[in-house]
Amino acid sequence: MTLVSPRQVRRVLAIACCAYLFSELGAGLATASQLSPNVTSQARDLGKPVRIPRQQAFTTSALDGIIRDAGFPNTTLPVPAAQLLLRNLQSGETFRAAASGEGVFRIFPLPPGHYELRVEAKNYATFVLADLSLEPNQVVTLEISLVTIAAAEARSRLPRLPELGPALSAATGSSLGTYREFRHRLDSDPAYVQNILPDTLPPVADVYNVVPNRWALEQPDYRRYSPKGEYTYTKSRWYDPFNRNRLKGDEPIWPAVLGQQTFLNITGSSESFFDGRRVPSPSNVSAAQPGSSGFFGRGEQAFFDQTIRVSFDLFHGDAAFKPVDWRIRITPEVSLNNLAVRELGIVSPDVRNGTNRFDTHIGLQEAFVEVKLADLSPNYDFISARAGIQQFNTDFRGFLFVDEEPGLRIFGNFHSDKIEYNVAYFHFLEKNTNSGLNSFADRHQQVILGNVYLQDFFFPGYTAEFVAAYNKDDPSLHYDDNGFLVRPSPIGSVINQGVGPILHGIRVGYFGWLGSGHLGRLNITHAFYQAVGEDTFNPIAGKSVTVNAQMAAAELSYDKDWIRYRISAFFTSGDANPRDNRARGFDSIVDLPNFAGGLFSFWNREGIRLTGSGVLLTTPGSLIPSLRSSKEEGQANFVNPGIFLANAGADFDITPKLRGFANVNFLRFERTEPLEYLLFQSRIRHTIGTDFGLGVEYRPPLTENIILTAGASALAPGKGFQDIYTSRILFSLFGQAKLIF
């Protein structure tokens, strides 16, 4: 006699009740399917569903699974592109499939029955499953482990023990490998829905709510607590750039006329910059200071620059990820700047202009049209063209060319954005001297360049870049806005008696290999440029010279907690013989390097004039002692001393809003012969000195809308710098406030 517990009795009763309820539900659905259209419409109006999707019976089967390597029991190593052959043992019908790159396969639909499964893959032994049963409305999932041919051959050479009995037949032993099997109902997996009839789905009106303009959806106010604080939804305001704003490209600007894919993004920025510094300045002895005899005067200077920039960006497209179909952008910029110095002849060659200069200028920094020429793949690979005044940066750190100039640029990407490219032609405009903004005069300089970025080039996370550029700077005569001669540079054999300045042109090509990425937690950046070409008349050499010069840079950084430690080196070749017909000192086109401290380096940020000449030892925003009259308005000079720089520094993420920077540079001239020739000094040593810099950056709202930056830097002169100037320490204190709408 078998005893039944109360728990078993309750379980049987529950199963019986569920069976009764399901039978009644099926009868009700069958009755509902026979109702008249009016009754069905009334039921829909009442909000009651009259059909349940996928309620039809399934009569087919499916087979799926994964194919893995049997040699890695603890790790799933997939076998990609394995070939599967499924043969019905009753009808002889065959089905073929191939595994994906992850080893996954799926065959559907299949008639129920008994099948033979054969799996073949390159370098693996064949796996055969002689009898696989597939039932109606059933999914069979297999995890198949294949044995490599090498492992199978090694296994076949092992001696067979007599106690194992006779060897298996060839047919039985042809299948190597193992498998595991899982089964579940087909209608329990929504991925296998096939050929659903329209009658089995609810009407469209019950599923979709048609909205004429999806951008005009009104959301309710989120007022769970008091009105103060942040909310998940906030009504748009024209002056609020953080929430939905039609002026910031968050919704179409004029959908009734331009459609629902045309947007306008207006960006306004205000940048206030102050720099107080001490740099070497000549005394310029005059009647204003009788009795003064020092060669170097008071080098303290104060510079203030206020710029306002507004960008109007009208574009058509689908916004995120997909490149725009077309774009029109216009960006004017206004500059108000003031320079106060303590010596005459600095703000202007005319000493009657005093020691203070205030200047204003309006420049057109962007004005271009962009059009997408073609889509190259479904993965957003494209090719586009941009014509007009536009920004461009040749490389990762701005070593060669960073400017806003008129030009034509063809750009795009290949291979799911793993390859990016640019081909561009620029025809330069003259720059305003005191603001650096564009004017409307022709510069008579042209640049052709191309670059390509290759992601994951040597290893994942490393991007390689290859650059080719050609600088054609035609001979011209130009005085800057303050009255100084800048083209040609007023040094050396620049004047031909009775004729005037000797004009010269630059024809130089650049070839570069650069890289940026990380290897684990070690960040790597490097650059190399080779410059070759001709200067038709170099004023220092006094003749035509051929150019052969090099530049190299490398930086390694390591992230540990909230600190990034950096070490780097920068090198440009120098000219050992300034009077021969070969120029070996490297110079860029228009560089703006973010390297070796960048803004927080005195040598990088400040311009140091070479006293006793009309050129700068180093121009503002450059690491190269190129002896140019001006970076923007002068011409490249390849007869220069070159430099070697060693850097160590650290970046500190003090808080999410506050960052700190510390930087030390050791600087050394690569060659001093060009300086000795220009300054008529028999011996100038190589050491420039040590450059120290500290700075902070504060972002109050944790966005780029408000950025406050401040820093201090100093240059302790070395022996070579003292041979040219004095031993006084040069310093700079600066602050910058940037506001963006």
Side-chain angles (χ1 to χ4, degrees), residues 153-161:
E153 292 177 351
R155 185 184 304 176
S156 66
R157 290 193 297 268
L158 294 176
R160 185 167 184 83
L161 299 178

Side-chain angles (χ1 to χ4, degrees), residues 62 64 136-141 182-189 192:
D64 64 9
N137 192 21
Q138 188 179 64
V139 178
V140 178
T141 301
F182 309 90
R183 295 175 181 263
H184 60 276
R185 289 174 58 89
L186 186 61
D187 56 8
S188 66
D189 189 350
Y192 288 101

Side-chain angles (χ1 to χ4, degrees), residues 248-565:
K248 302 299 293 181
D250 294 328
E251 56 184 274
I253 187 62
W254 197 359
V257 177
L258 301 177
Q260 296 196 19
Q261 288 185 297
T262 304
F263 303 86
L264 175 64
N265 186 4
I266 300 178
T267 302
S269 65
S270 170
E271 187 170 343
S272 304
F273 179 80
F274 173 79
D275 185 12
R277 61 207 178 206
R278 177 198 287 166
V279 293
S281 301
S283 63
N284 289 328
V285 179
S286 67
Q289 296 176 333
S292 60
S293 58
F295 183 82
F296 291 99
R298 295 169 295 180
E300 294 78 13
Q301 300 180 4
F303 177 73
F304 178 79
D305 185 23
Q306 172 64 54
T307 60
I308 299 174
R309 184 183 179 107
V310 183
S311 179
F312 302 89
D313 188 8
L314 181 70
F315 62 94
H316 180 276
D318 291 333
F321 301 112
K322 186 176 181 180
V324 299
D325 299 319
W326 56 261
R327 164 177 276 133
I328 301 174
R329 181 182 295 175
I330 299 176
T331 304
E333 185 169 349
V334 180
S335 172
L336 299 88
N337 55 83
N338 185 81
L339 175 65
V341 299
R342 303 187 66 183
E343 295 291 341
L344 299 174
I346 296 178
V347 301
S348 171
D350 189 346
V351 296
R352 294 173 298 178
N353 290 332
T355 59
N356 193 84
R357 181 191 67 224
F358 177 77
D359 189 25
T360 62
H361 184 72
I362 300 177
L364 187 61
Q365 300 306 109
E366 287 183 315
F368 65 79
V369 176
E370 176 184 325
V371 178
K372 184 171 65 175
L373 302 179
D375 286 311
L376 305 181
S377 78
N379 299 324
Y380 301 122
D381 293 331
F382 70 100
I383 179 171
S384 292
R386 180 180 294 181
I389 304 175
Q390 54 190 287
Q391 296 180 348
F392 192 80
N393 184 357
T394 306
D395 53 61
F396 298 110
R397 297 297 186 94
F399 289 125
L400 183 64
F401 173 73
V402 183
D403 210 344
E404 295 173 316
E405 299 287 356
L408 174 63
R409 174 186 169 202
I410 307 296
F411 64 98
N413 60 283
F414 292 124
H415 195 40
S416 299
D417 200 32
K418 290 186 177 180
I419 301 175
E420 298 181 2
Y421 59 89
N422 293 275
V423 178
Y425 164 81
F426 293 100
H427 193 104
F428 282 27
L429 296 173
E430 291 285 6
K431 300 289 186 178
N432 175 259
T433 304
N434 302 319
S435 65
L437 302 181
N438 288 333
S439 68
F440 294 96
D442 186 8
R443 169 70 167 82
H444 302 293
Q445 181 180 4
Q446 303 165 69
V447 169
I448 302 174
L449 57 88
N451 62 5
V452 59
Y453 297 89
L454 307 176
Q455 296 187 33
D456 301 335
F457 187 68
F458 286 126
F459 49 83
Y462 171 84
T463 299
E465 180 190 7
F466 298 95
V467 179
Y470 179 68
N471 180 23
K472 180 177 180 291
D473 195 349
D474 295 329
S476 59
L477 177 67
H478 180 67
Y479 291 85
D480 67 15
D481 296 321
N482 299 322
F484 292 98
L485 177 65
V486 291
R487 263 192 339 264
S489 298
I491 52 175
S493 304
V494 68
I495 301 296
N496 187 356
Q497 298 296 329
V499 178
I502 302 175
L503 310 183
H504 66 105
I506 306 293
R507 307 287 186 268
V508 175
Y510 297 86
F511 303 93
W513 170 36
L514 305 95
S516 180
H518 65 89
L519 185 60
R521 299 179 66 177
L522 183 65
N523 306 297
I524 304 171
T525 298
H526 67 85
F528 175 81
Y529 277 108
Q530 170 70 46
V532 292
E534 178 190 17
D535 184 345
T536 59
F537 185 86
N538 185 274
I540 298 178
K543 64 183 72 173
S544 174
V545 296
T546 58
V547 176
N548 182 3
Q550 300 80 34
M551 187 223 82
E555 178 183 279
L556 298 177
S557 63
Y558 181 79
D559 297 320
K560 182 176 177 56
D561 297 330
W562 52 284
I563 304 177
R564 168 173 287 190
Y565 302 94

Side-chain angles (χ1 to χ4, degrees), residues 22-56:
F22 278 116
S23 65
E24 291 297 323
L25 176 60
L29 291 175
T31 304
S33 64
Q34 299 173 0
L35 293 176
S36 64
N38 294 334
V39 176
T40 305
S41 176
Q42 292 176 3
R44 184 169 66 249
D45 295 339
L46 293 176
K48 298 178 180 179
V50 296
R51 301 182 185 90
I52 298 177
R54 301 190 299 106
Q55 199 62 31
Q56 59 188 3

